[in-house]
Amino acid sequence: MPITKLYDVGAFVSVPLTFSDGELYGTLCAASHEAQRSLGYRDLQFLHVFARLVADQIERERFQAGARSQERQAMAARTQFAAVAARDGYTGAHSKAVVDLAVAVAERLGLDDDAVAEVGQAALLHDIGKIAVPDAILNKRGPLTDEEWVIMRAHPISSQQIVQDSPGLEHLGPALRSDHERWDGTGYPDGLAGDAIPIVSRITLACDAYNAMTSDRPYRRAMSDDDTREEIAAGAGTQFCPAVAQALLDVLDQIQVQGP
């Protein structure tokens, strides 16, 4: 063939490099300037075996790199969370409670392992931007003024800015910024709606709301679990993503059946 003559290729064989999950990584090629008329089926089989060994090694290294990256992200998240907890005990305890619920909802929705891990990290840090909110506003017992609400509603932007400056956590920026976006588009800070809101944010919002409603706050007593579930169901399609709201209710039912 003209191409083989052009590059002085006398013999050539190629087999795929395929990972255990079927992903095609590339090909393993062998070539010679000299013609190799003795090449046969056994040689091809050997190359397939060699390709399998190479793919296995690449896959192991990729997995190890991913595990190291996730560990770095987890350590960074824990460090940032410690800062939140030191500043505001309620926010720290609230965030920890939201994590388990958010992870369970993510699993209920069938998200993959990486997405579930991201949900856990985002839930842990979803209120980190409140570090920038003055104590007088954060712990105020009465209703906030319009000016105070402007400051409070800026905390998702602060959350995004904080993680963007934290190596290993940059990927959480969009999810934390969208933590208070509503399904119907009336949330803040960007007025996103529906599927434009990251799924991580939609999960965190619903679990955050459930935990907040069932907790005592400076300005009100906790709601009952039944009343809170009714609020979650009523907010599906307006405040909450319908699929996320249903998954949350399913998880709560399962927790109730299993008991403490």
Side-chain angles (χ1 to χ4, degrees):
M1 297 177 63
I3 189 69
T4 57
K5 291 182 179 179
L6 178 63
Y7 290 101
D8 191 24
V9 177
F12 179 85
V13 62
S14 175
V15 295
L17 287 173
T18 307
F19 291 150
S20 58
D21 62 358
E23 177 189 349
L24 178 63
Y25 178 79
T27 57
L28 178 66
C29 305
S32 170
H33 291 303
E34 303 295 330
Q36 301 293 330
R37 302 187 184 281
S38 62
L39 284 175
Y41 179 74
R42 290 184 61 188
D43 300 294
L44 181 61
Q45 288 298 99
F46 170 79
L47 199 59
H48 274 292
V49 172
F50 186 55
R52 178 69 265 166
L53 295 174
V54 172
D56 286 346
Q57 181 62 30
I58 294 172
E59 194 168 11
R60 278 195 299 272
E61 292 177 358
R62 176 185 281 189
F63 174 80
Q64 291 168 357
R68 288 193 296 270
S69 176
Q70 287 188 354
E71 178 58 25
R72 286 195 297 270
Q73 293 171 9
M75 289 179 63
R78 288 193 293 269
T79 300
Q80 294 286 5
F81 172 75
V84 176
R87 163 75 189 286
D88 176 19
Y90 167 79
T91 298
H94 163 71
S95 295
K96 288 181 68 175
V98 172
V99 170
D100 290 343
L101 195 55
V103 166
V105 170
E107 292 174 341
R108 177 79 181 185
L109 289 168
L111 273 61
D112 63 34
D113 291 345
D114 289 341
V116 171
E118 185 173 343
V119 167
Q121 292 171 354
L124 186 66
L125 299 177
H126 74 277
D127 275 337
I128 193 172
K130 288 184 177 178
I131 288 177
V133 178
D135 288 340
I137 296 176
L138 195 61
N139 299 317
K140 187 174 181 179
R141 292 186 175 275
L144 300 182
T145 66
D146 291 343
E147 293 77 12
E148 290 169 338
W149 268 118
V150 169
I151 296 172
M152 179 64 82
R153 286 174 174 161
H155 84 266
I157 299 175
S158 298
S159 295
Q160 180 187 34
Q161 293 169 340
I162 290 170
V163 297
Q164 283 180 339
D165 293 333
S166 304
L169 298 179
E170 305 94 327
H171 63 292
L172 297 177
L176 296 186
R177 182 185 179 96
S178 301
D179 180 54
H180 286 277
E181 301 288 358
R182 292 170 52 111
W183 185 255
D184 61 6
T186 62
Y188 59 90
D190 302 309
L192 301 180
D195 290 334
I197 306 169
I199 183 62
V200 174
S201 307
R202 287 180 259 156
I203 293 172
T204 304
L205 173 66
C207 297
D208 179 18
Y210 173 81
N211 183 265
M213 286 188 282
T214 53
S215 303
D216 289 330
R217 301 302 303 273
Y219 49 86
R220 60 150 176 82
R221 299 291 296 174
M223 295 172 56
S224 71
D225 187 69
D226 287 342
D227 288 345
T228 303
R229 293 192 194 203
E230 289 181 6
E231 288 290 326
I232 296 294
T238 53
Q239 183 176 3
F240 308 119
C241 166
V244 169
Q246 186 58 57
L248 172 57
L249 294 173
D250 291 342
V251 167
L252 293 172
D253 286 342
Q254 185 177 16
I255 292 173
Q256 187 177 49
V257 170
Q258 291 175 345

